[in-house]
Amino acid sequence: MSGDYHMAKPRVTLKDVAIKVGVHSSTVSRVLNPVTKDMVTKEIANKILSAVTEMGYRPNTFAQSLKTNRSYTVGVMVPDLSNPAFALIIKGIDNFLESHGYSVMVANSYNLENKQKSTLNKFRERHVDGLIIATAKRKEALINDCIREGTPFVQAVRASNISGVCSVVSDELIGGDMVISHLAQLGHEKIAYIAGPQFFSTGFERYQGFLQGMLHNGLEVENNLVIFCDAFSKEEGRNAASKLLAMNKKITAIYVGNDIMALGVYDELEARGIICGRDISIVGFDDMPFADKFNPPLTTVHTPMVNVGTEAARILLDKINDNNIPSRTIKLKPDLIVRSSTGPLA
C-alpha cells in the first residue's frame, strides 16, 4: 500500500507506567486515586506522577467504570448560566469533585420543565453517579422522579418542599433581616419590595425575610408597595420599578429579590432622572460577580455561592457512597455588603 499512512500510537497503560517506575500496577493505581494517594510514600508518588506526565498516560475511565460500576461523573443542573452567581456554584462543585477524581457535566435548564426532563434523561443515559440540582421549584416533579429512581442527588441554592431531601441553601431570612435593619438605621421607613417568583424557595424565603425584617424593625408593610415578579430577570425588575414609581408614594428605598432584577431597577431610575443612593436607596441579593461595578456599586446580601457548591458536592459524594445516609439541610449564613446604592434618608 502506498501513501503516507500513520498507525495510531498505542495507548500507554497503567502497567507501562508501573514497569517504567519499577513498582506494582496497584501502587500506580493508588497514587492516581485521590482517596488512596496518601497510602504511598511521597518519593514513589512523585516518581509515578512524573512518569505519568512524561509518558502521556491517561486513565481509562471506561474500563474503571465497568469494574467499579461507576462513571465518576456528576450531573449539575442550573437554571440560568447567564446569571454569574451560578458560575460560582459550579466552581465550588468542580473544585471539590475534581479533587476526588470526578468529572462534572453542566446543563442549563432555562427554568423550563421539558428541558429539565430531557436533561435528566441525558444524564441518566451517560450513567452519572449523582446529581446536583439548582433548578428546583418548591413543588417539583423532577425531585419526586429522582427519589423514585433512587438517584443520589442534592439540591443547591433552591430547595423544594419535599421532606427527606438533602439541600444546601443560603439563610434568606437572616439576609432580609440584615437588609431592613440597615435601611432602618439610615432612617428609611417607606420601603418597597420587588419579589422574585414565589414558586422558587429563593423568591419565597427572601419575601419572608423582608416581612420578618419589617416586623423586627417596627415598620409597616404596605401591600401595594410589594410587587411580585414572574422571573428573576432584568426586565421584570424594571417593570416592577416602573409600577412602584408610578404610584407617587414617596418611596425612599427599594429592596430587590436579586441583583439581576436590581439592574433593571437601575435602568428605570436612570430613565426617570432619579439618582440611586441619594434620591432612592436600592438593595439587591446574591452579591453576584460585578455587583461592585454597578453604577453606583450595589449594596447587596452576599450569598456564599462557592461554599454552597462545595457543601452540595461534599454531601453528594457521601450519598453516592451510601444513598441511605440521613438527609441534611445546610443553611449557610449570608453577609450584608454595604456599598453606595444605599444612603441616609435625604
Side-chain angles (χ1 to χ4, degrees):
M1 243 174 99
S2 62
D4 194 9
Y5 180 68
H6 295 285
M7 292 281 290
K9 247 170 85 177
R11 188 187 183 104
V12 177
T13 67
L14 195 83
K15 201 169 180 182
D16 296 334
V17 176
I19 290 166
K20 185 173 172 69
V21 182
V23 295
H24 196 273
S25 298
S26 62
T27 309
V28 178
S29 186
R30 273 195 200 104
V31 169
L32 297 178
N33 182 343
V35 180
T36 55
K37 66 176 191 290
D38 296 329
M39 291 164 69
V40 179
T41 65
K42 271 266 184 340
E43 189 191 352
I44 303 246
N46 288 340
K47 276 185 184 168
I48 289 169
L49 293 172
S50 296
V52 161
T53 308
E54 189 190 321
M55 297 170 77
Y57 169 73
R58 285 190 192 87
N60 186 343
T61 46
F62 180 67
Q64 276 178 325
S65 68
L66 286 176
K67 201 163 34 173
T68 59
N69 206 17
R70 282 193 187 176
S71 65
Y72 294 95
T73 307
V74 163
V76 179
M77 213 183 288
V78 295
D80 181 11
L81 272 173
S82 66
N83 181 342
F86 288 104
L88 296 177
I89 295 168
I90 294 163
K91 183 181 178 182
I93 292 168
D94 192 48
N95 285 350
F96 184 84
L97 289 178
E98 192 184 31
S99 70
H100 288 78
Y102 277 76
S103 301
V104 173
M105 286 170 63
V106 179
N108 196 357
S109 76
Y110 306 100
N111 287 315
L112 301 171
E113 212 164 295
N114 60 348
K115 184 80 170 87
Q116 280 189 355
K117 215 170 237 174
S118 64
T119 298
L120 185 61
N121 289 335
K122 277 183 191 139
F123 281 157
R124 282 182 179 149
E125 282 163 18
R126 284 167 175 74
H127 300 286
V128 297
D129 295 329
L131 296 168
I132 294 175
I133 299 168
T135 59
K137 293 178 179 172
R138 287 165 63 214
K139 292 175 182 164
E140 183 62 273
L142 178 80
I143 301 303
N144 283 320
D145 189 356
C146 288
I147 294 168
R148 245 191 337 270
E149 288 278 330
T151 311
F153 73 95
V154 177
Q155 294 185 291
V157 190
R158 295 174 178 177
S160 61
N161 287 346
I162 299 161
S163 62
V165 169
C166 291
S167 64
V168 182
V169 296
S170 174
D171 196 323
E172 321 283 7
L173 294 177
I174 289 179
D177 251 355
M178 288 172 168
V179 170
I180 303 302
S181 297
H182 168 64
L183 292 173
Q185 279 162 14
L186 291 171
H188 296 281
E189 292 179 6
K190 205 84 162 164
I191 302 169
Y193 184 64
I194 296 176
Q198 296 300 287
F199 46 79
F200 290 132
S201 65
T202 40
F204 179 74
E205 299 272 335
R206 288 173 192 182
Y207 172 51
Q208 299 306 311
F210 162 72
L211 296 177
Q212 183 176 288
M214 294 292 275
L215 182 69
H216 288 174
N217 286 279
L219 297 174
E220 186 194 341
V221 175
E222 293 184 41
N223 288 334
N224 62 350
L225 295 190
V226 177
I227 307 281
F228 293 96
C229 295
D230 294 330
F232 280 113
S233 70
K234 194 175 164 186
E235 297 70 33
E236 286 282 292
R238 180 163 188 174
N239 291 341
S242 176
K243 284 177 197 164
L244 286 171
L245 296 170
M247 290 179 194
N248 289 324
K249 285 278 194 174
K250 304 275 187 294
I251 295 162
T252 65
I254 304 174
Y255 174 22
V256 192
N258 84 342
D259 295 345
I260 286 184
M261 291 163 80
L263 263 180
V265 176
Y266 270 42
D267 286 349
E268 188 60 25
L269 294 187
E270 194 181 349
R272 291 170 180 256
I274 297 168
I275 295 170
C276 177
R278 190 194 72 183
D279 303 334
I280 292 184
S281 287
I282 305 293
V283 185
F285 207 113
D286 280 340
D287 193 28
M288 74 179 199
F290 312 115
D292 60 332
K293 301 290 186 283
F294 286 21
N295 184 21
L298 180 67
T299 295
T300 183
V301 178
H302 174 79
T303 303
M305 292 294 193
V306 174
N307 294 0
V308 167
T310 304
E311 291 309 311
R314 192 191 307 279
I315 294 174
L316 182 64
L317 214 52
D318 288 346
K319 278 190 78 66
I320 288 168
N321 291 323
D322 177 9
N323 205 9
N324 296 315
I325 59 165
S327 66
R328 272 180 277 171
T329 300
I330 296 178
K331 285 195 173 188
L332 299 177
K333 188 178 175 293
D335 295 301
L336 183 69
I337 310 295
V338 177
R339 301 191 182 106
S340 45
S341 69
T342 49
L345 191 63

